[in-house]
Amino acid sequence: MSKQSKRREALVYHAKPTPGKIKVVPTKKYASQRDLALAYSPGVAEPCLEIKKDVNNVYKYTAKGNLVAVISNGTAVLGLGNIGPEASKPVMEGKGLLFKIFADIDVFDIEVDTEDVDAFIETVKNIAPTFGGINLEDIKAPEAFEIEKRLKEELDIPVMHDDQHGTAIISSAALLNALEIAEKDIKTVKVVVSGAGSAAMACVNLYVALGVKPENITMFDSEGVLHKDRTDLLDSQIKYATTIKYNSLAEAMVNSDVFLGLSVGNLVSQDMLKTMAKNPIVFAMANPDPEISYELAIDTRDDIIMATGRSDHPNQVNNVLGFPFIFRGALDVRATKINEEMKMAAVKALAKLAKESVPEQVNIAYNETRLTFGKDYIIPKPFDPRLIAEVPPAVAKAAMDSGVAKEPIVDWDKYRDSLLERLGSDNKIVRLLLNRARTNPKRVVYAEADHIDVLKAAQIVHDEGIAIPILLGRKEQIEKLKEEIEFFADVPIIDPKSDEQVEQKNKYAQVYWEQRKRRGVTLLEAQKLMRERNYFAAMMVNEGDADALISGYSRSYPQVVKPMLELIGLAPGSTRIATTNVMMTERGPMFLSDTSININPSAKDLIKIAQMTSGVVKMFGMTPVMAMTSYSNFGSSKDQTATKVREAVSYLHRRHPDLLVDGELQTDFALNSKMLQDIFPFSKLSGHKVNTLIFPNLESANITYKLLKELNKAESIGPIMMGLRKPVHILQLDASVDEIVNMTAIAVIDAQHKGKQS
């Protein structure tokens, strides 16, 4: 994608359909006059009076306890510098979005129009009663140090400047584990630091708290080594000033154990790396280009333990591993501050988590057979679902032990359960899908690439490295649309109706005719069919010229399914095909089957649909918890529609006792665990959170998923085709660009999965 095209995409993303990235949503009913009278006058007076009696009641009656202010004056925004408060707002909104999706914390972003330290502090103090915590962001040094220090002293709510402490906390966890793997003593390691800004200073301060000796740290800024003779050093830098006058970074790195880079890219050479001690630890965190590239570093030293700030290399030092969970723990015990003990607790929780067995969901997301603690895995992955259940409790306990918690937690098991419940509102599954597809992109043929939305999706998957697109359609039209959307990448374009690719079409026709000649198909008919996109595309996949196929954007489902069944055929062991849709709901991902194929499946068909859906759920790294739905509960109806579901469940219980499946069940009982426990405690689903619904017929499944999609604005991924021999996925008519991108990721993952099976 061209720079201009990327710029336009970023601007459209922020402007449409609604400007900005966050909004306020009511948490109470507001439909009736009674609701409004309680929400505002006269009902609102009662909580006001209760808060007047005891100011701590503000946490009981308002949103303060889950509300963080992300505050900046725009003086040090990303790599953009001092761009001002208004220009910093998109970044602050973005930080708010991360708080919400990773830890379910609400955010108001506040942009303050002053560079005066006293005025900024006074502003924050004046608005602090609104918030349960303050996240300072993108404020330039040295002012940032004083602002944070004074606000922590003068406010009774948690305050943290994430630019200073986020990288420090994550890299400290990485350092602890790297030292263990390298078999080095933290008290004796020699550390060289390139960069002496707020993040670097926070890192070395935390490293010292962990046990690194200050005299073993050598720091450089743009003027050279921090030396005791220099008169331009800040107070915070003076304690790390050395008496040795190193002439260069290269000179200081000789026999060093640890290199920390928070400066500029490509600063460290191979020769410099070679001079480091055995088992060197290198944290090259300049973005987007590290101080030394990952590839160059591992080619230079096979004993290196390396971390960067990039997501495309192992050991990404990503602040999102820290700030959402630190504030979550602080808010949940109403901590008066975020102190050193709480930060250290986060460090140790992250370090400990990296040593534990990794959930299959994480392995699948990163296309790993088994992530294990070692050189390439010293800190948890950002998509690890355990983070919210491990880091906040550690932070909360540290707050309690250090005496800054006003609301101590008593029942830790209940608290961890409540944290895991918060994951339901964060639909991480889409990010997991896209990330997993990127690990091993496959060739995906788009049978309708001369439609602009399909082509836009192909452009995104190409630019994001999700798949390698092959475009089918009218070549002239595709090239015209490519120009229009500035899709300049050189990707294959094939028009099956043109006189080009004659040899390829004849080859496909011959293969097809050999397969179907005893079913009334002539060679001439086979040749004609190869001019049709879906037949041609299916043959590409069949013959290994593409790995997966996406079609259905402009044609009805039955029209597209027919050639796939004729050419692709069923997977080994499959007796039929079916589809499932993944719905992104507030309770988390829900799999709904069969949404597109089987009109009135028999009990035997329902068994197969449940088994295939179970496989798809597992492919997503989740444990299937399946309810076989009906209009009745456990034999309350003798009608054939209900009894076939009962028969299917009975078979699955007998033949697959390890499968968490039960029914027949009405949908509300399936989804409301309390109702199910109270009325049907004998159910296999009792005590489990259902994530999969198997419907008794196409009508109920299709209506349900489309109702959820339109009324609740639940994002849908699907229909995911199950039971075919090759990765073929058929879109719903007029699918959106995002839906096509997501389906492409599914197709790639399906190809990865089938490739491992073959």
Side-chain angles (χ1 to χ4, degrees), residues 608-629:
K608 195 63 187 173
I609 291 167
Q611 290 173 323
M612 289 192 294
T613 306
S614 171
V616 172
V617 178
K618 289 176 181 175
M619 193 173 79
F620 279 77
M622 300 168 61
T623 300
V625 184
M626 302 194 293
M628 305 280 277
T629 63

Side-chain angles (χ1 to χ4, degrees), residues 45-253:
E46 299 306 325
C48 290
L49 293 171
E50 290 300 305
I51 295 167
K52 185 176 183 298
K53 288 179 194 174
D54 180 356
V55 72
N56 289 314
N57 281 332
V58 70
Y59 288 94
K60 183 176 180 180
Y61 296 113
T62 77
K64 176 183 173 88
N66 196 51
L67 187 61
V68 165
V70 174
I71 304 182
S72 180
N73 60 2
T75 53
V77 181
L78 302 177
L80 305 174
N82 188 348
I83 59 175
E86 290 88 356
S88 75
K89 186 171 175 64
V91 179
M92 303 311 120
E93 286 187 355
K95 196 66 176 271
L97 185 147
L98 294 177
F99 264 111
K100 187 65 179 176
I101 66 174
F102 280 95
D104 195 27
I105 293 172
D106 296 315
V107 163
F108 289 159
D109 62 290
I110 309 288
E111 291 74 39
V112 181
D113 189 12
T114 181
E115 294 187 24
D116 180 85
V117 168
D118 291 328
F120 187 95
I121 291 170
E122 196 62 28
T123 300
V124 175
K125 286 173 62 178
N126 286 337
I127 63 172
T130 306
F131 301 100
I134 304 288
N135 183 91
L136 300 170
E137 194 79 15
D138 291 351
I139 303 167
K140 69 182 177 72
E143 291 90 336
F145 302 128
E146 183 180 354
I147 287 170
E148 186 194 39
K149 179 177 178 294
R150 284 177 52 186
L151 285 174
K152 287 176 74 170
E153 292 169 352
E154 298 174 35
L155 292 177
D156 64 349
I157 57 175
V159 176
M160 187 171 85
H161 187 206
D162 185 49
D163 298 317
Q164 287 185 55
H165 304 294
T167 301
I169 290 164
I170 315 309
S171 70
S172 291
L175 180 65
L176 284 178
N177 284 341
L179 289 170
E180 181 177 327
I181 293 164
E183 299 181 340
K184 291 175 185 269
D185 184 351
I186 196 168
K187 294 176 181 177
T188 60
V189 289
K190 178 182 176 184
V191 180
V192 176
V193 184
S194 176
S198 58
M201 297 309 304
C203 284
V204 293
N205 287 339
L206 204 47
Y207 294 179
V208 168
L210 286 169
V212 175
K213 300 294 184 185
E215 58 268 26
N216 290 341
I217 297 173
T218 304
M219 298 188 75
F220 287 78
D221 63 9
S222 58
E223 300 300 318
V225 68
L226 302 194
H227 188 270
K228 291 193 179 293
D229 290 344
R230 283 178 56 175
T231 58
D232 59 340
L233 300 183
L234 303 173
D235 291 342
S236 58
Q237 296 171 327
I238 289 172
K239 61 182 175 180
Y240 297 113
T242 179
T243 56
I244 304 171
K245 291 188 176 180
Y246 290 107
N247 294 314
S248 66
L249 181 65
E251 188 179 327
M253 284 183 69

Side-chain angles (χ1 to χ4, degrees), residues 483-744:
E483 180 122 1
E484 184 179 322
I485 64 173
E486 299 181 16
F487 184 11
F488 300 125
D490 184 17
V491 296
I493 301 174
I494 300 172
D495 183 356
K497 290 191 182 297
S498 75
D499 293 331
E500 298 177 11
Q501 283 90 30
V502 173
E503 187 177 334
Q504 191 175 12
K505 280 187 285 190
N506 286 341
K507 173 193 165 188
Y508 291 166
Q510 185 70 32
V511 173
Y512 179 69
W513 177 64
E514 292 288 348
Q515 292 172 350
R516 309 285 295 185
K517 62 186 177 183
R518 292 186 179 274
R519 298 187 182 183
V521 176
T522 68
L523 181 58
L524 181 61
E525 287 171 333
Q527 289 169 338
K528 285 181 179 178
L529 284 175
M530 289 310 117
R531 293 174 60 83
E532 299 296 325
R533 300 177 192 193
N534 286 316
Y535 279 89
F536 186 91
M539 286 303 298
M540 286 189 74
V541 176
N542 249 355
E543 295 301 298
D545 296 325
D547 301 306
L549 186 159
I550 296 287
S551 189
Y553 176 82
S554 64
R555 299 189 181 191
S556 69
Y557 215 88
Q559 276 184 298
V560 185
V561 168
K562 182 174 180 286
M564 305 309 155
L565 285 174
E566 286 181 12
L567 276 74
I568 301 294
L570 297 174
S574 291
T575 56
R576 61 176 45 253
I577 61 170
T579 61
T580 188
N581 272 70
V582 191
M583 307 303 296
M584 303 296 105
T585 72
E586 287 189 1
R587 64 181 274 131
M590 288 292 301
F591 294 79
L592 277 55
S593 301
D594 167 24
T595 49
S596 298
I597 301 289
N598 297 282
I599 295 174
N600 188 23
S602 65
K604 189 176 179 181
D605 296 333
L606 288 173
I607 291 165
K608 195 63 187 173
I609 291 167
Q611 290 173 323
M612 289 192 294
T613 306
S614 171
V616 172
V617 178
K618 289 176 181 175
M619 193 173 79
F620 279 77
M622 300 168 61
T623 300
V625 184
M626 302 194 293
M628 305 280 277
T629 63
S630 179
Y631 61 86
S632 63
N633 288 314
F634 296 117
S636 62
S637 171
K638 306 303 179 188
D639 184 79
Q640 184 271 336
T641 308
T643 57
K644 71 176 183 181
V645 178
R646 205 172 313 137
E647 288 171 18
V649 171
S650 177
Y651 176 91
L652 290 168
H653 282 181
R654 290 195 315 271
R655 298 297 183 89
H656 301 278
D658 57 329
L659 200 59
L660 272 172
V661 60
D662 215 345
E664 80 279 21
L665 267 175
Q666 294 174 355
T667 309
D668 54 349
F669 280 95
L671 299 179
N672 189 319
S673 55
K674 186 178 185 304
M675 282 174 59
L676 185 67
Q677 178 67 40
D678 290 347
I679 308 299
F680 305 114
F682 58 83
S683 172
K684 281 189 76 171
L685 301 178
S686 184
H688 297 280
K689 185 177 178 180
V690 169
N691 56 24
T692 306
L693 301 176
I694 309 296
F695 289 88
N697 52 47
L698 176 63
E699 186 175 36
S700 57
N702 194 272
I703 288 170
T704 301
Y705 110 74
K706 291 194 172 179
L707 199 65
L708 282 172
K709 184 179 171 184
E710 293 304 319
L711 287 186
N712 288 351
K713 301 301 179 189
E715 188 175 353
S716 169
I717 303 174
I720 300 170
M721 187 71 74
M722 304 182 293
L724 283 176
R725 189 170 57 89
K726 298 279 188 177
V728 169
H729 294 281
I730 302 167
L731 306 167
Q732 286 292 313
L733 276 171
D734 205 28
S736 70
V737 172
D738 285 344
E739 287 171 335
I740 301 169
V741 170
N742 292 341
M743 282 301 290
T744 302

